[in-house]
């Protein structure tokens, strides 16, 4: 298995990315090969710090960098030798099994759309994320930022993608799907939510249990939460703030610690023809390590193959 990591993406790149990659390399099985993509001289200088082992990673040179604030489409078009562009090239050519970056999220979405491309039948690729439950388990929420506006049929497809992901990566046999809404009743919500509800309740590929209110997000009512990217991103960022607020106030709790972005490390883009994981822009070495571990789980679980099978109406 080979995992490519964008060494130049993120607020604290390349130092945090290189350190996190080395931490992952020391923890992962020997058959997992890690490839850092970026400016070779800069990466090699960091790899030769005495505290680090240099045997766990390979370096592929990419002289250009796409900055966090750059326009995604222009940057990828103009910077064909950037770490993100070359990372996607490796993934498209099958030279790596997954590509991770804590860099420009827009560029990662554009790269996913136009390099590895959406799977046949996908209406809109989506960014998914884990969320903690009070009972100690985890669920999946999508979309968390890729699609601010979604048609009902797109939300319906998100439910299928999220169900396959929960089965494959979280090992939940029959994931319960809930539609994030302002009330439990079927007729609640805006027109999009009402129409999506009607599609979800007759979708035989999923285990739809109805609407989920904000107060029930972190309970064990559902395993997959469906919403548009506008709502999902607000939920995600608000959830991350829980940990920050209570940590600053000196309050430590095992459940609250699950809201620390470092615990998960990254979010997969589902619905594209490759394993792609996006990390937080402020990723620390620990977050990078966990981002890479998530990519490894995705490859091991064969979630991409299972999504393709689901789209073809085959057994998953």
């Amino acid at each position: 298995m080979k995992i490519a990591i964008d060494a130049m993406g993120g607020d604290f790149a390349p130092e945090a990315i290189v350190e996190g990659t080395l931490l992952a390399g020391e923890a992962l099985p020997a058959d997992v090969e890690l490839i850092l993509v970026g400016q070779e001289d800069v990466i090699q200088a960091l790899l030769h710090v005495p505290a680090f082992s240099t045997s766990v990673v390979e370096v592929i040179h990419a002289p250009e960098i796409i900055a966090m604030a750059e326009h995604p489409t222009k940057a990828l078009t103009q910077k064909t030798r950037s770490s993100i562009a070359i990372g996607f090239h490796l993934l498209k050519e099958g030279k790596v099994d997954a590509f991770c970056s804590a860099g420009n999220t827009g560029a990662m979405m554009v790269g996913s759309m136009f390099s590895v491309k959406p799977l046949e039948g996908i209406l809109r690729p989506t960014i998914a994320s884990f969320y903690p439950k009070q009972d100690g388990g985890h669920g999946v929420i999508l979309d968390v930022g890729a699609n601010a506006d979604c048609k009902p049929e797109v939300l319906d497809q998100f439910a299928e993608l999220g169900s396959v992901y929960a089965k494959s990566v979280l090992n939940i046999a029959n994931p319960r799907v809930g539609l994030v809404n302002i009330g439990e009743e079927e007729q609640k919500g805006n027109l999009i939510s009402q129409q999506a509800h009607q599609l979800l309740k007759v979708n035989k590929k999923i285990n739809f249990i109805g609407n989920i209110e904000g107060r029930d997000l972190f309970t064990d009512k559902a395993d997959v939460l469906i919403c548009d990217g506008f709502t999902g991103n607000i939920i995600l960022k608000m959830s991350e703030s829980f940990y920050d607020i209570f940590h600053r106030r000196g309050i430590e709790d095992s459940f609250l610690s699950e809201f620390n972005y470092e615990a998960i490390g990254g979010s997969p883009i589902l619905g594209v023809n490759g394993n792609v994981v996006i990390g937080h822009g402020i990723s620390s070495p620990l977050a990078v390590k966990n981002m890479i571990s998530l990519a490894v789980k995705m490859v091991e679980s064969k979630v991409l193959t299972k999504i393709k099978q689901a789209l073809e109406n085959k057994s998953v």
Side-chain angles (χ1 to χ4, degrees), residues 166-185:
K167 287 179 187 178
S168 303
V169 178
L170 292 180
N171 298 314
I172 301 173
N174 189 27
R176 297 159 297 170
V177 177
L179 177 66
V180 177
N181 209 329
I182 60 172
E184 293 183 351
E185 297 82 2

Side-chain angles (χ1 to χ4, degrees), residues 41-307:
D41 56 342
V42 175
I43 297 171
Q44 291 292 358
L46 293 170
L47 288 174
H48 282 87
V49 171
F52 292 154
S53 166
T54 60
S55 61
V56 294
V57 297
E58 177 186 345
V59 179
I60 291 181
H61 183 53
E64 298 175 319
I65 300 172
I66 295 178
M68 299 295 273
E70 286 192 71
H71 187 280
T73 306
K74 286 183 179 179
L76 274 175
T77 302
Q78 296 170 359
K79 294 183 174 181
T80 57
R81 300 177 69 201
S82 66
S83 52
I84 289 180
I86 290 177
F88 273 115
H89 174 74
L90 294 170
L91 185 62
K92 180 182 178 181
E93 295 298 314
K95 295 179 180 178
V96 298
D97 299 292
F99 176 48
C100 308
S101 175
N104 188 307
T105 300
M108 289 295 289
M109 283 301 302
V110 171
S112 296
M113 292 289 289
F114 295 102
S115 182
V116 293
K117 301 186 184 306
L119 294 168
E120 185 176 355
I122 287 292
L123 301 173
R124 293 274 191 91
T126 175
I127 301 177
S129 184
F130 294 130
Y131 67 90
K133 298 182 185 181
Q134 293 178 46
D135 67 353
H138 289 86
V140 179
I141 180 170
L142 65 165
D143 182 57
V144 294
N147 306 280
D149 297 294
C150 295
K151 293 180 179 179
E153 55 268 29
V154 173
L155 293 172
D156 187 45
Q157 191 173 75
F158 286 174
E160 296 179 18
L161 292 173
S163 293
V164 175
Y165 188 71
K167 287 179 187 178
S168 303
V169 178
L170 292 180
N171 298 314
I172 301 173
N174 189 27
R176 297 159 297 170
V177 177
L179 177 66
V180 177
N181 209 329
I182 60 172
E184 293 183 351
E185 297 82 2
E186 185 172 327
Q187 69 274 16
K188 285 293 183 74
N190 56 24
L191 291 176
I192 299 294
S193 298
Q194 293 173 24
Q195 292 168 14
H197 190 109
Q198 297 307 307
L199 294 175
L200 290 163
K201 76 176 186 178
V202 297
N203 189 335
K204 298 189 182 301
K205 291 184 179 181
I206 62 171
N207 177 19
F208 182 57
I209 62 166
N211 293 334
I212 296 291
E213 295 183 276
R215 64 184 176 185
D216 295 319
L217 291 178
F218 307 113
T219 66
D220 193 38
K221 277 198 171 183
D223 305 300
V224 179
L225 299 177
I226 303 303
C227 56
D228 59 63
F230 184 91
T231 303
N233 192 266
I234 290 174
I235 291 173
L236 179 66
K237 299 293 175 61
M238 181 185 69
S239 301
E240 291 176 352
S241 76
F242 292 163
Y243 173 79
D244 293 334
I245 292 169
F246 286 103
H247 184 67
R248 286 196 297 268
R249 295 173 69 90
I251 300 172
E252 300 295 333
D253 179 87
S254 58
F255 175 64
L256 290 174
S257 68
E258 292 290 325
F259 289 101
N260 182 0
Y261 81 95
E262 293 177 311
I264 301 300
S267 300
I269 301 177
L270 301 181
V272 296
N273 195 25
N275 294 303
V276 181
V277 181
I278 301 175
H280 206 300
I282 60 171
S283 287
S284 66
L286 177 59
V288 172
K289 174 189 175 184
N290 288 331
M291 173 178 67
I292 295 169
S293 296
L294 176 58
V296 171
K297 286 180 184 177
M298 290 177 67
V299 177
E300 289 177 338
S301 69
K302 296 181 171 57
V303 65
L304 179 58
T305 299
K306 292 173 182 176
I307 287 173

